[in-house]
Amino acid sequence: MSTPKNKGVRADGRRNRARILAAAEGVFADNGPSASTEQIAVRAGVAIGTIFRHFPTKQALLQAIMKDLLRQLTDQADALAANGDPATALFTFFTQTVEQAVRKKSVIDLLARTGIDLQITEAVQLLDHSVHTLLTRAQDVGAITPTTRTDEVTTLLAAMCQATTLPSWNPDLQHRTLAVIFHGLTPNPPNPPNQANDKQAEH
Amino acid sequence: MSTPKNKGVRADGRRNRARILAAAEGVFADNGPSASTEQIAVRAGVAIGTIFRHFPTKQALLQAIMKDLLRQLTDQADALAANGDPATALFTFFTQTVEQAVRKKSVIDLLARTGIDLQITEAVQLLDHSVHTLLTRAQDVGAITPTTRTDEVTTLLAAMCQATTLPSWNPDLQHRTLAVIFHGLTPNPPNPPNQANDKQAEH
Amino acid sequence: MSTPKNKGVRADGRRNRARILAAAEGVFADNGPSASTEQIAVRAGVAIGTIFRHFPTKQALLQAIMKDLLRQLTDQADALAANGDPATALFTFFTQTVEQAVRKKSVIDLLARTGIDLQITEAVQLLDHSVHTLLTRAQDVGAITPTTRTDEVTTLLAAMCQATTLPSWNPDLQHRTLAVIFHGLTPNPPNPPNQANDKQAEH
Amino acid sequence: MSTPKNKGVRADGRRNRARILAAAEGVFADNGPSASTEQIAVRAGVAIGTIFRHFPTKQALLQAIMKDLLRQLTDQADALAANGDPATALFTFFTQTVEQAVRKKSVIDLLARTGIDLQITEAVQLLDHSVHTLLTRAQDVGAITPTTRTDEVTTLLAAMCQATTLPSWNPDLQHRTLAVIFHGLTPNPPNPPNQANDKQAEH
DNA sequence: TATGAATGAGAATTCATTCAT
DNA sequence: AATGAATGAATTCTCATTCAT
């Protein structure tokens, strides 16, 4: 009765936590990572104290957002690993993620800049693991150069997500730059032309 | 009177301007883009008022740094266009620039995040133009896919510069990711397919 | 209904009140008088709301602690008045109290700093009364200068309790400073002159 | 010309520093050590930023005040050591200091509570040294018990300064409690009895 | 022109207190 | 009665910018 371990009243607590996270994501996306906590409070429709009750530090809030985001990406990667065509799943994931980055701009932007030392190692590792799976499968079917390593993929992914914030960024440019990267990941004599040639050569 | 193009007492005036720019670059590189103007003043060995005399706004200072940086890059690109091997000059420029980004981290970092709306269109266009030259020449000798457009190259370049700030970044990773990109820019049957073609040609 | 003097469901109500008081004393002792109510709640194992139910204001909580403390001291004084040697009881009480102050530091500390205007006049008067008894008895047996008044004693006592918080405070220093005070309270030719007289008498 | 080492403009700077210190002393005396920096700014007639320019931390401000105060006391002690009657100088200093404490209340109050870890060791040692001189001289002329040590004196002094903040404090009480302490510091059979005894003993 | 002190709006964070559950 | 989430005023501190010297 006096030990504070009940889980009843937390219904609204958890609801607010979510609202705050959503608001924060939005505000950071709009105004960059230096947006004030006050703005977030306003957008979330709560008092500023409420934010600090849930996330005792701005850091903590940032961390939470990043973890959330990473988890989402991980889920998507896993879904593609489970259902998608191994040959294209990684590229789909890549495209999908960049697409979302456009919407979350500086949030994803933060993702990269762990210079602010958000401790999210675990969440990053989980994502890495899922990407690794996608990569391996693609390599198994010959869709991606076998020597490619996971960190190359995630780095290129992060890079393109950040590029999303460039003023010149647009869907067409996105399509063309991703094409370059995808080509860069594809084995040298891709397939079609060579096969034809090879067949002929075999005779 | 305040534009640095007229003559007069500005012997040390211009010297100060340069010192401030250098100091600012250094401070931003060391302490991130949120470094205070005061710190810059200290590093430059001038009073804070002097900084604001030269750059009426922090924005203006940022702009100046970026223009400076872009001009340097442009110069390097031009040098390579003049002296380098057309087939490799663009890749050399690419590598070179990323290499520098590693050292200037948060400066380059700012470059991308033009969310701070630095009006540097002109300097960017000059760089674009120089890159365009490098690209065209490489395409002329068949070193780069002919359909590649300049904005793809600059975007990929900016992306990789930003990736430089990732905590996992290291020379090896840099080498491998750039290799992917370079491969992505290279025409499909780079060499080996030629053998097949040659065989056919032999008939 | 809210005064803790009626009967009813307050079995655990009163228990909580005590727990809170104890916790508060401890927290203040450990973290200084600026400790937050939240900390007290944690240490007491109750929710913060419960604290405010029992003590509608932080002031009220402080008051309660002080009254508690004063009552304890009063009890001890009374015990010494009942059982102790009149000649030494006051000094014993003095020493005892200072000793406790060392342990309760910032609590006693608050005691003095009634700048926070705790209205505890009554409890203070009760203590004064008990001290007065001790003093009178000591004076009756010639152990303390007859002109000494109660407020001198309590003031010196309070002063020494506060001194307890000095960084240089230690048992040896405590012993020596109290010795000075005790000497100060002792009638002028306490013994030595007598010895001289005695010696003469012996001849 | 560009090195910031001139000392010209600092006229107003130093003036403000003094104003701030004075204001802070006053505000703390009135409102206790938890008074806000803003209040101090108002009383000093400067913007709050100015305070933080001079004292980068509230701690620093507190420290400065304490050092100032300690220096004043040290000066007074030294003056008395130079000019005063050795037999009474220490008591005069004691009284004088307590007298001032009445006016500076919680400032002196802070003095004691170095719990807030103001690093003022040096200033404290200087004062200790001066008090030591006063004490030694008094002991040399037999005005104070020879076994008394300096730390006893300074501790009793600090204790009485703090007692100054008690609500019951008043000039009469001050006089009487100090009398107790002075008596406590005085050799047992002050003088007259000893002479008699000594003479007899000489025989 | 350079200096550096002053300004003051804004940011993060804390905490006593209230109130819905 | 107890719980603990929400509130929001207050506080410390920062920093771009202004201005007297």
Side-chain angles (χ1 to χ4, degrees), chain D residues 5 53 55 62 65 76 92-93 97 115 120 127 129 134 151 171 179 190:
Chain D
K5 293 225 163 174
R53 156 169 280 267
F55 308 96
L62 254 12
I65 295 182
Q76 294 172 20
T92 305
F93 174 66
T97 302
I120 42 176
L127 176 56
H129 185 268
L134 287 174
D151 61 350

Side-chain angles (χ1 to χ4, degrees), chain D residues 71-85:
Chain D
R71 185 166 34 248
Q72 285 175 37
L73 292 182
T74 304
D75 288 349
Q76 294 172 20
D78 290 344
L80 283 167
N83 310 320
D85 168 15

